[in-house]
Amino acid sequence: MNDFTNRLREKGWTDNDIQRAVSIIDQGKIKKPKKLVFLDSIIYWIVLFVALIGNFIISIILIPFMLTMQGISLYSIIFIIGFAFGAFFDLLIRDIEKLQQKDIIIAGVFLPLLAIINVSFMVKFSNFLQTVMGLDNVLHNPWLISIIYVFGFIIPYIIKSIIVLNRAPKNIQHKL
């Protein structure tokens, strides 16, 4: 809301007009119909489910890379894929947070933990396939690859949080 009031001040609004606009918006949030609140909740859970499915699909997509690559080239690809999916997911979650006017903690903790587990299982499966197929590629460490993926996944969130924190007024920064 602080960005909103600052933008209105920049456009030449008086403090009275700004307070009136903010109170109208706040009243609209309070009077939000229960169906819309329920729909907001449904949207959140659908996005979380899509993110879970997306993480699973991405971990399957990583299998051919793990079968054919090793070392820094494999780690770079895993990091880039994690970063791209993390940026997409961060965008979705931040938009939902704006709609619901509350922080979404469960997605920020739950999804990376699930990603670690999911990617580690896919690495183990990839190692199994390498053994069965008789490939000469080095067996990969499931935890290392999972951590690289999740690190890439959470970097967009960290970058965006730093940007938001730097834009926040000093009184809000002390609360964080």
Side-chain angles (χ1 to χ4, degrees):
M1 193 56 74
N2 227 355
D3 287 340
F4 177 67
T5 56
N6 288 337
R7 283 185 284 157
L8 292 179
R9 271 197 192 96
E10 289 172 3
K11 292 181 179 185
W13 285 46
T14 65
D15 285 339
N16 250 359
D17 291 338
I18 292 172
Q19 287 176 353
R20 186 166 180 249
V22 168
S23 69
I24 290 170
I25 291 171
D26 288 341
Q27 288 297 320
K29 291 176 188 173
I30 293 170
K31 294 179 181 180
K32 193 173 193 178
K34 290 183 181 184
K35 289 181 181 179
L36 281 178
V37 172
F38 178 73
L39 187 61
D40 287 347
S41 176
I42 295 280
I43 289 171
Y44 166 70
W45 287 106
I46 288 172
V47 167
L48 188 60
F49 180 73
V50 167
L52 290 173
I53 298 298
N55 260 329
F56 180 72
I57 291 170
I58 286 173
S59 63
I60 291 173
I61 290 170
L62 291 175
I63 291 174
F65 293 107
M66 289 184 280
L67 289 175
T68 58
M69 302 174 85
Q70 60 187 0
I72 199 75
S73 58
L74 174 65
Y75 302 146
S76 298
I77 287 175
I78 289 172
F79 179 82
I80 290 168
I81 290 172
F83 184 87
F85 190 66
F88 173 70
F89 182 70
D90 182 59
L91 178 70
L92 287 176
I93 289 299
R94 288 193 191 266
D95 284 347
I96 290 172
E97 285 176 347
K98 285 179 188 175
L99 285 176
Q100 293 186 351
Q101 296 295 315
K102 62 181 178 181
D103 290 331
I104 298 175
I105 303 293
I106 196 168
V109 174
F110 178 68
L111 201 60
L113 288 176
L114 215 58
I116 286 175
I117 294 167
N118 193 24
V119 171
S120 69
F121 278 126
M122 288 303 154
V123 173
K124 289 178 183 179
F125 180 69
S126 169
N127 288 342
F128 170 76
L129 284 177
Q130 279 181 215
T131 305
V132 168
M133 296 170 71
L135 298 175
D136 292 335
N137 203 359
V138 175
L139 296 179
H140 304 291
N141 182 339
W143 294 110
L144 177 63
I145 293 193
S146 298
I147 289 170
I148 290 170
Y149 175 78
V150 170
F151 183 68
F153 183 83
I154 63 172
I155 285 291
Y157 172 78
I158 292 169
I159 291 170
K160 184 67 175 182
S161 296
I162 290 170
I163 291 169
V164 167
L165 185 63
N166 286 337
R167 288 184 183 168
K170 295 295 179 195
N171 61 348
I172 292 177
Q173 286 182 7
H174 291 295
K175 292 178 184 178
L176 298 175

